[in-house]
Amino acid sequence: MKLIVGLGNPGAEYEGTRHNIGAEVVELLAARAGCTLARKWRLKAWAGRAVVGGATVTLARPRTYMNVSGAAVASLVRWFDCEADDLIVVSDDIALELGRVRVRPGGGAGGHKGLESIIACLGTEGFARVRVGIGAPPGDQVRHVLGRFSGPERAAADSARQRAADAVEEMLRSGVHGAMNRFNAGPAG
């Protein structure tokens, strides 16, 4: 069973922010599959089963704040009896140009507090990830990631969200390396 987790912050005040684009990708995958993510109190997440890319998966969005995402992800991994290599995490990335999508088989957190939390709670960097570029901030990083996309940026972000969902589907069909070949070299937006 593959587990696909989209990172973001809970609550209406964070909806549509740059930091929530990972959660938006999982919500898009759920909508494409006709799946509703239900609140799972014990797991600190909204989750649901769906068929994505021809595989039966669990889609999830933690109910925890970004910087402590690891607690929810670890509980999901334990509950669904997954290994780290069954996990795909979708997150924002300020180091990537707005609209760019990058697939990775594992690696470090790159300064992303949500990924740092997951790595610490799981005790491994060995899980796949899809990073969605939100662009480097001109100033304060916190203000940037918690801010909303401007009108022109929203079009690029929406395109990236679609491409990131496509990348997850491709990962499930042809593996991480097949998705890397198709999406990592592609244009932003």
Side-chain angles (χ1 to χ4, degrees):
M1 171 70 67
K2 293 287 187 183
L3 173 62
I4 296 121
V5 177
L7 300 186
N9 285 309
E13 68 269 31
Y14 296 107
E15 292 299 319
T17 64
R18 291 177 182 89
H19 227 13
N20 275 31
I21 200 161
E24 289 180 11
V25 170
V26 164
E27 290 168 357
L28 175 59
L29 288 166
R32 286 180 179 180
C35 167
T36 300
L37 301 183
R39 188 175 215 157
K40 305 292 185 187
W41 291 96
R42 175 182 280 170
L43 303 178
K44 301 176 186 160
W46 291 278
R49 289 227 172 140
V51 176
V52 176
T56 301
V57 301
T58 297
L59 298 171
R61 177 183 176 177
R63 288 188 303 111
T64 56
Y65 287 97
M66 177 70 79
N67 294 357
V68 292
S69 297
V73 173
S75 70
L76 287 160
V77 165
R78 282 191 303 274
W79 182 262
F80 292 108
D81 196 25
C82 297
E83 299 296 325
D85 61 0
D86 295 321
L87 174 63
I88 299 170
V89 175
V90 186
S91 68
D92 63 292
D93 190 333
I94 64 171
L96 290 177
E97 174 187 353
L98 175 64
R100 177 133 349 247
V101 172
R102 185 71 40 103
V103 176
R104 290 285 182 246
H112 192 284
K113 301 294 186 197
L115 291 173
E116 286 176 7
S117 176
I118 294 168
I119 291 166
C121 289
L122 294 182
T124 183
E125 297 176 347
F127 56 90
R129 61 233 33 208
V130 176
R131 291 180 155 190
V132 184
I134 61 168
D140 181 19
Q141 285 187 356
V142 173
R143 182 168 291 172
H144 180 71
V145 299
L146 295 179
R148 288 179 171 72
F149 295 104
S150 68
E153 290 176 326
R154 189 73 236 182
D158 287 343
S159 176
R161 187 170 52 99
Q162 295 287 336
R163 285 179 41 79
D166 294 344
V168 170
E169 291 174 350
E170 185 67 22
M171 292 168 82
L172 294 167
R173 278 192 297 272
S174 62
V176 173
H177 295 288
M180 287 172 66
N181 290 336
R182 182 171 168 207
F183 290 91
N184 288 3

